[in-house]
Amino acid sequence: MIIPILIASLISSINAVSIVSRSQSYSQPAVLGPQTTITIGNKVIAPDGFERAATVVNGMFPGPLIAAQKGDNFAIEVVNELKDESMFKSTSVHWHGIFQNGTNYADGTSFVTQCPIAQNHSFLHSFSAPNQAGTYWYHSHYSVQYCDGLRGALVIYDPDDPLGYMYDVDDASTVITLSDWYHVVAPVLRHIIGTTANSSLINGLGRYVGGPASDLAVISVEQGKRYRMRLVAMSCDPNFQFSIDGHNLTVIEADGQLTEPVVVDELTILAGQRYSVVLVADQPVDNYWIRSLPNLGGASFVGGTNSAILRYQGAPQVDPTTVSATQIQLAETNLHALINPGAPGIPGYGNADINLNLQITSPNGTFYVNGTAFKPPTVPVLLQILSGAQDASQLLPNGSVVVLEANKVVELTLSIITGPGGPHPIHLHGHTFDVVQSAGNSTFNYVNPVRRDVVSAGVPNQQMVIRWTTDNSGPWFLHCHIDWHLDAGFAVVMAESPSDTAAHVNPVPQDWDQLCPIFHSLSPLQLGGGGRFSYEEAANMSTKLFPPSPLP
């Protein structure tokens, strides 16, 4: 009798999958392991019902989930098969949140840690993340390329998770990606000051205002179970107000760092940030709206925009009729690191070994950090250091490299003096940091602040203060994670102990050495991005343009 029962259960599960798949459920997404190949190519897709060519990973947007276990070694071959002339044909892929301690060359940051990977070439990223577990992501770090689609989630699971007792389900089906989407290619939009997304997507699906009622993502849950939902903000620009009607969310992780559990029913998540929240499926069997409202003018939930569906097993396949009634908004100052809490160094503002102040101004759309707009150097900063440059005066770009001594506590105050488009999410590569002052908040916390890798610097007349220890020699990018702002100069390089870097990253792979000669041999046609036609197209769309600029 076991065999017929087994066959019957298999058939019923297959039927269930086929029914769910028609509603675009995310229950069986593609998953890759830590040793894999990802192919960057072009494909026409319509995630919000509008067809356009995009830059995709393995033919998919978002790219497939890369899943690993704590302690795994990564070996990810990035193969460039880009062909579309209207978009960039070179690429690089950054593994956001991975420290790359000793492997700065694998960080994937164009013109900081490597030259881009040319069309029809590849590069193997070999690295480990021995003490890291949590929710991360990967995306292009070449100009504004990730806005055209090169973005995906990366999760390192911890079989001994200290908060594992709080949830029953934590797998590919509980990763929730939030992204913005554009109907015009990024090489055109980068010329426009203040570009705006056409739609926002949840797990790669959504609708735009005035568009068709295209499929929405469905996340399936079983009544009585507890789910670790991993939220990943893959946005190029907006932040999102995230909530699920009728359900509380218990925050247990921020950017790969466990937090003391905090119960909320709504949270704001900025570009580049991640949160794990525990959702208890304790409501009546039904459909509930998942809401992800971008901070864009006129954004709403009309017509199913900025929405997805939480569907309990047994609920009919219909749109929810639930309403939003959120009351408990997450405040960053209520988040506290669970493991080894406390900012490094002597408590008190200005008491670190190195106290830095960065002031951001943007008088004309271009962003200046202490008076200098970041312009990518032709020779990556890491290659400059390995070639013997040690001092800030020797390192390019001039005025955009801050040299830091080894094993010092850094306290960075970043202030927005002028600058549109805030709040600005600030990301530091190679580290997490302790947020001792959150933007818009007057209090300091050195005892148990949240530890993360992307933090809001707020809006004009606000500041944030963070601390970290310089224990990872190499050049690390610090930048606004609104990709249009990064492209417009909102970045600096933190060069940690350049004199130690050659020994710390030894040996650099031979293939890494070949990236620059190959890239610098490319013609404008081989670079793609539409050439001068991209500027002409932008001029047809808007009068608010940056001055013409060469291809990155």
Side-chain angles (χ1 to χ4, degrees), residues 145-233:
Q145 187 178 54
Y146 92 72
C147 307
D148 279 328
L150 201 177
R151 27 186 166 169
L154 188 158
V155 174
I156 303 176
Y157 294 95
D158 183 358
D160 302 314
D161 180 11
L163 296 179
Y165 67 91
M166 294 184 66
Y167 53 86
D168 309 305
V169 182
D170 175 26
D171 57 24
S173 73
T174 61
V175 175
I176 302 177
T177 63
L178 310 174
S179 52
D180 50 356
W181 193 245
Y182 301 82
H183 292 172
V184 176
V185 294
V188 171
L189 295 178
R190 70 184 286 263
H191 298 301
I192 299 171
I193 299 171
T195 217
T196 303
N198 294 95
S199 61
S200 60
L201 312 175
I202 300 176
N203 285 347
L205 295 170
R207 295 173 185 170
Y208 64 97
V209 174
S214 56
D215 285 335
L216 298 179
V218 175
I219 295 165
S220 300
V221 294
E222 187 180 330
Q223 192 180 44
K225 287 192 173 175
R226 305 166 302 164
Y227 294 82
R228 179 175 181 165
M229 303 292 192
R230 295 176 181 265
L231 311 180
V232 185

Side-chain angles (χ1 to χ4, degrees), residues 478-542:
L478 176 95
H479 62 89
C480 180
H481 220 295
I482 295 173
D483 221 26
W484 313 111
H485 296 177
L486 167 56
D487 194 52
F490 196 156
V492 293
V493 175
M494 297 289 169
E496 289 185 30
S497 54
S499 58
D500 301 327
T501 300
H504 191 61
V505 301
N506 189 45
V508 174
Q510 200 171 351
D511 285 353
W512 183 87
D513 288 323
Q514 296 305 309
L515 290 172
C516 285
I518 294 168
F519 177 75
H520 290 308
S521 72
L522 299 177
S523 68
L525 192 63
Q526 289 172 308
L527 289 170
R532 62 185 175 83
F533 298 111
S534 67
Y535 197 84
E536 291 171 11
E537 193 174 333
N540 289 333
M541 295 172 57
S542 174

Side-chain angles (χ1 to χ4, degrees), residues 123-144:
F123 180 65
L124 177 65
H125 293 256
S126 294
F127 57 91
S128 59
N131 299 308
Q132 293 190 260
T135 311
Y136 307 93
W137 64 301
Y138 62 94
H139 59 84
S140 169
H141 224 305
Y142 175 56
S143 184
V144 290

Side-chain angles (χ1 to χ4, degrees), residues 241-249 262-268 291 323-331 334:
Q241 292 270 66
F242 182 88
S243 63
I244 301 179
D245 287 0
H247 293 77
N248 285 339
L249 308 170
V262 177
V263 177
V264 300
D265 59 15
E266 184 176 58
L267 56 82
T268 300
R291 302 175 187 271
V323 294
S324 176
T326 56
Q327 295 177 312
I328 319 164
Q329 169 77 30
L330 175 66
N334 289 338

Side-chain angles (χ1 to χ4, degrees), residues 48 86 127 290:
D48 62 358
S86 70
F127 57 91
I290 299 171

Side-chain angles (χ1 to χ4, degrees), residues 342-355 408-411 436 444-447 467 469:
I346 300 165
Y349 184 62
N351 290 339
D353 301 321
I354 302 170
N355 298 283
K408 302 291 185 186
V409 173
V410 179
E411 183 168 88
V436 295
F444 288 82
N445 178 3
Y446 291 89
V447 177
R467 276 195 182 187
T469 303

